[in-house]
Amino acid sequence: MEAQQFQIHRGLRWLWLGSVAIGVLCDYLFYGKAFGISYPLFVFGLYALFFWQAKQQSQLTFSRDQLFAWLLTLPIVLLALTFFLFDNTLLRLLNILAVPFLFVAQTMLLTKRHRLSWYSLGFAGEMMETVLLHTLKYTRIPFVFLRHWLKSRVDRKKYGVAVKILAGIGISLPILLVVLTLLSQADGVFGHLLAKIPSLLFDWDSAEALYRLFRIGLVALLIFGYFYAVIGPKPQEVADKLLERSEEKRIAWDGVILVTILTIINVVYVSFTIIQISYLFGGAQAVLPDDMTYAEYAKKGFQELVMVTIINFILLVSFMHLVSRAQPVIYKFVQAMLSLLTICTSFMLFSAYFRLSLYEEAYGYTQTRFLAHAFMIFLFVLFVIAFLKIWRNDFSLLKYCGIAGIAAYVVLNYIQVDAVIAQNNIQRYYETGRIDVAYLMELSDDAIPIIATLREDKGIGGRIEHYLQEKRDHLQKERSWQSFTIARYVAKTHLRQE
């Protein structure tokens, strides 16, 4: 049985060589270097290895049911290119997670290593199972290669002795580490001599080389393990009880209960909506408390409104799932109540958006406030999708929410958040004479071309020029070509202009 498995593994020996190449590429592009053009190049390398090996194993097909999987290439490539185009630190950190997540989802869908739909919650569990369980399990295959190779070229008796010696060394190392640590603490002279041994055996350059080889080997093992999990022979299918359970009759609440709950909630929300219209849009500033400004009123309650909106979305999805369709009249009434809940909640979103806009006019624009605006717009899109789901039973809520989420995140990456924030703050400065120069200095290289327009300003031009000089000195530092970004290049171009 083991020999048969070995024959199967030998068929993927090129996958191991390709994985080692990816490990070398990872070291060459990233070791000691900041992210830049290196990131999309690494993603392209992963794609090349995947498509090559998947084609070799006849795993790729072009069909209508795989259209979404193929289309995922677009957001993956666009998000990878942001490391080359832009310089937003927050979005870079998020993209370090987003790109691998989407890549895993796409490769699993293309090779059909999943049982559940990609827009079901269970698919995320399958992804975790593939990455955390199967990938780690299959990293032992290269060692199986090595063992069989040694067996075929070394005398069996000598091979057995060598294995026992290696086992003895492996067992003794932890014991030796503990003993040497205790002895070095017990005797200072012994500890001093022990500390000199590494420098006598090899210099730091040799230690760095060993460390880099270890990194290459680790990356190669993980890449091999994952690609083998999605490309290699499929494990024996086991009866999926979870799928059977999911097809059982779902839980349904009585329509009268849901109508009662929704009626009470909607009465409160309609009343709240009327009050919001009078205060925010009806010019009712005169009735505000004496110690509260209009900007403070606009800010107060913003977070609470967003939280209520999120709670309402959860309630909306839950009620759509729990409502019984056995009584058509009551079901239609529930649909009407859910629609009213959606409309009221959408107005709450608009109110929160308007409040935050008023507060920004008074105190300026920041990244946090910009992202809050973007999140509220995204929530509104989700409520539009939910509204469609209320009146169309065959409409997949999770599917289109997932598509909207991916699309919204890609758009957010290409808006150039810091440049927009700088532009809005400068426009506010021209209108009010107020600007937070210290905050402008915290923005990324994306904002430098916008900030540079203030260098001739009589009021703050001196502070801006001092800041730009510091940026110029920072950008002039030598960087490898792997760290090249368009944002940094454009910033350097603008800073050269006098």
Side-chain angles (χ1 to χ4, degrees), residues 12 32 49 85 128 148 153 178 193 196 199 280 300 348 439 453:
L12 292 175
L49 178 60
L85 298 173
M128 293 181 62
H148 281 274
R153 285 163 176 78
V178 174
L193 294 175
K196 287 188 174 183
S199 60
L280 285 176
K300 187 176 179 59
M348 288 183 189
Y439 183 77
T453 61

Side-chain angles (χ1 to χ4, degrees), residues 31-57:
Y31 184 75
K33 307 175 185 73
F35 285 153
I37 194 175
S38 55
Y39 197 91
L41 289 178
F42 181 73
V43 172
F44 295 153
L46 283 178
Y47 265 125
L49 178 60
F50 171 73
F51 286 127
W52 172 42
Q53 285 299 303
K55 185 178 180 182
Q56 290 291 106
Q57 302 298 322

